[in-house]
Amino acid sequence: MDQDQALAIMKTGASVFLTGEPGSGKSHTVGRYVEYLRSAGVSPAVTASTGIAATHIGGTTVHSWSGIGIRKELSKKELKGFFRHQGHRRRLRGTEVLIIDEVSMLDAATLDLVNTVCKKAKNSAWPFGGMQVILVGDFFQLPPVSRGGEQARFAFESPAWAELEPRILYLTEQHRQDDPDFLSLLQAIRAGDCEEAHFEHLESRRTGQGQIPDGVTRLYCHNVNVDEVNSRELGKLPGEEAHFRMESWGDAAQVEKLKGSCTSPETLTLKEGALVMCTRNDFEAGYVNGTLGTVTGFDGDDGLPLVRSAAGKDFKAEPHDWSVEDNDEVVATVTQVPLRLAWAITIHKSQGMSLDAAVIDLSRVFECGQGYVALSRVRSLSGLHLLGMNARATMVHPEVAQADAEFRSRSERLEEALARMSRAELEKQWERFIEGAGGG
């Protein structure tokens, strides 16, 4: 299914699961749908499963939006008291479209609880109180975090998912990787079917510690490795340090959440010559989230960093805002220069990025999907420099592989049904949904 077909189905008001391989355009498609809704006078709730993912889409976490916080369940008594907070009820009751990005990292219990509070807020027995729900993600990527020794279940295993019965929109175009050998490797990992030729491709990209190329970001499994590399490399540079401290405004609790999830640090320390990565999109300035560059100096008027991208484009890194909205009203904002040191980054924080090249250490992979996330950040096999890997590096969850086959099949059947619909019939459904959602 291509992006236009997926968008046509979302515009009918159907609840969907939008999925596909990394680089297939999931985020772009959702962005187009959000623009369409807002132009029609409908304000969607844009949420994500984690704070980092929420900052990428300019939204908030689904936990914060729904008011459930870290809770996994509510008793009947607790549910009754939950809505004494009028803001919760008003926010949920006023929502017609709920978008949840990076749903792979949302556990089943949380999705069930969101379903419960939405029903209660809207006084409706329909799934999620009758909202259109747009679930977005790829279950081959990072899974939900297990706590207290109990294995977290995937969102697609929840009663809420079964009740919602989302239509499956499986994007099949590729906009990140165009290397056939590399695509074959990534697809083999997804299918759990890596053969000798695929492992030979990986082995051909082995890089010794003394052969690490300059100016290429390293991906590690653990924060300790990332902090060590970035601190060491910054310390090697001559010259004085420049410090950029994050500014904030708004609700204190929301500000703290933003600080924790923002991919730029609270205090950014740079020197001339520092390798940096952009953490926001600024198409006018000529960079996107994941663009690598080198600090060439600091502006004489305001002291802001001057950066030359790996592609040779010069720009000044102007401060950007990360905000949390509630019913289209900004309740908290943090402002920081949209850069981070980029000699190293965790695999977790790399999810959603596209990199021309990366040095990747998979020798300490500790969960299924982690190796796949790291490898799929890179655009081509020639851009991959592999320090090491363990047995889990190419493993995927068997439950995910089984579910993915069903997702593909259901998407193909839906694509065939869409082809049989006339444009006039589709447009009529689009109009009815917008009218029912209070737009026009």
Side-chain angles (χ1 to χ4, degrees):
M1 181 176 292
D2 65 30
Q3 295 180 23
D4 289 338
Q5 291 170 318
L7 189 61
I9 294 168
M10 286 192 283
K11 287 163 68 173
T12 66
S15 289
V16 305
F17 170 44
L18 178 68
T19 189
E21 298 176 13
S24 59
K26 298 183 292 294
S27 296
H28 181 70
T29 304
V30 171
R32 288 175 62 191
Y33 187 51
V34 169
E35 288 179 9
Y36 165 77
L37 290 172
R38 288 174 174 164
S39 69
V42 177
S43 297
V46 182
T47 76
S49 59
T50 69
I52 292 172
T55 62
H56 288 168
I57 61 174
T60 187
T61 64
V62 69
H63 311 73
S64 177
W65 171 83
S66 63
I68 65 172
I70 63 173
R71 287 171 285 200
K72 301 291 184 184
E73 58 183 23
L74 289 169
S75 66
K76 288 185 178 179
K77 182 178 180 181
E78 288 171 328
L79 188 60
K80 188 175 181 180
F82 179 81
F83 285 107
R84 289 183 185 140
H85 189 302
Q86 290 301 310
H88 295 340
R89 184 183 294 274
R90 184 169 58 251
R91 180 168 57 248
L92 272 60
R93 185 175 285 173
T95 299
E96 298 296 332
V97 181
L98 170 62
I99 296 169
I100 306 177
D101 197 15
E102 297 291 7
V103 72
S104 72
M105 299 179 73
L106 192 71
D107 64 280
T110 301
L111 189 64
D112 285 336
L113 186 53
V114 174
N115 182 30
T116 297
V117 298
C118 286
K119 285 181 174 181
K120 187 72 173 178
K122 285 182 171 279
N123 194 27
S124 169
W126 287 95
F128 294 85
M131 298 177 191
Q132 181 192 30
V133 182
I134 308 291
L135 304 168
V136 188
D138 175 18
F139 285 102
F140 283 104
Q141 300 200 50
L142 295 176
V145 176
S146 299
R147 299 187 188 279
E150 184 178 343
Q151 180 63 44
R153 293 181 301 138
F154 290 103
F156 64 77
E157 298 177 296
S158 68
W161 186 290
E163 186 181 349
L164 185 66
E165 292 186 294
R167 297 185 181 184
I168 310 299
L169 312 181
Y170 206 121
L171 298 179
T172 54
E173 295 179 326
Q174 181 54 243
H175 302 279
R176 180 179 296 163
Q177 288 96 10
D178 57 4
D179 178 335
D181 288 338
F182 195 41
L183 277 172
S184 174
L185 167 64
L186 295 175
Q187 289 164 357
I189 294 175
R190 289 178 76 92
D193 192 26
C194 282
E195 299 178 349
E196 186 176 346
H198 298 119
F199 287 110
E200 287 176 357
H201 287 320
L202 284 173
E203 286 299 325
S204 73
R205 302 309 305 164
R206 285 273 192 170
T207 301
Q209 284 286 355
Q211 302 170 306
I212 295 176
D214 293 333
V216 177
T217 296
R218 308 184 201 186
L219 300 186
Y220 289 99
C221 299
H222 299 282
N223 274 309
V224 62
N225 303 106
V226 169
D227 294 341
E228 179 186 342
V229 170
N230 283 332
S231 178
R232 182 179 68 240
E233 295 300 320
L234 186 67
K236 289 179 182 178
L237 297 175
E240 295 184 4
E241 294 181 345
H243 303 280
F244 302 90
R245 291 176 176 79
M246 185 178 286
E247 297 179 357
S248 62
W249 169 89
D251 178 81
Q254 295 292 351
V255 164
E256 287 307 307
K257 289 179 182 178
L258 278 173
K259 287 180 178 179
S261 60
C262 181
T263 44
S264 284
E266 191 167 349
T267 299
L268 173 65
T269 302
L270 300 175
K271 288 182 181 179
E272 185 174 337
L275 182 65
V276 292
M277 177 183 293
C278 299
T279 58
R280 289 294 297 266
N281 295 331
D282 189 329
F283 300 110
E284 288 187 13
Y287 62 82
V288 297
N289 182 23
T291 293
L292 287 175
T294 302
V295 176
T296 57
F298 300 92
D299 187 88
D301 294 326
D302 53 25
L304 290 171
L306 303 174
V307 179
R308 175 165 294 168
S309 74
K313 182 172 181 60
D314 294 311
F315 61 88
K316 181 164 71 171
E318 302 273 1
H320 277 242
D321 292 340
W322 284 260
S323 299
V324 173
E325 293 187 4
D326 184 357
N327 285 338
D328 285 344
E329 181 180 343
V330 175
V331 295
T333 298
V334 297
T335 304
Q336 178 58 293
V337 173
L339 299 174
R340 60 172 295 128
L341 293 176
W343 285 285
I345 189 172
T346 60
I347 292 171
H348 176 72
K349 287 194 174 181
S350 76
Q351 185 157 310
M353 292 180 174
S354 296
L355 301 173
D356 291 324
V359 176
I360 301 177
D361 184 3
L362 300 181
S363 63
R364 297 185 181 181
V365 166
F366 55 87
E367 63 182 14
C368 293
Q370 202 172 25
Y372 178 73
V373 168
L375 293 170
S376 60
R377 298 309 93 205
V378 188
R379 298 183 191 276
S380 67
L381 198 61
S382 63
L384 170 63
H385 305 275
L386 190 62
L387 289 177
M389 58 185 289
N390 63 17
R392 298 182 72 95
T394 58
M395 290 177 62
V396 296
H397 290 271
E399 300 97 326
V400 170
Q402 184 177 349
D404 191 68
E406 176 63 20
F407 292 152
R408 284 183 181 271
S409 177
R410 287 174 58 185
S411 179
E412 288 167 2
R413 294 197 297 271
L414 182 58
E415 190 175 350
E416 292 170 0
L418 178 65
R420 293 192 293 269
M421 293 182 68
S422 69
R423 179 76 181 186
E425 186 179 354
L426 267 176
E427 289 180 349
K428 198 171 291 184
Q429 289 192 33
W430 298 347
E431 290 173 8
R432 279 201 299 266
F433 172 62
I434 291 298
E435 288 174 4

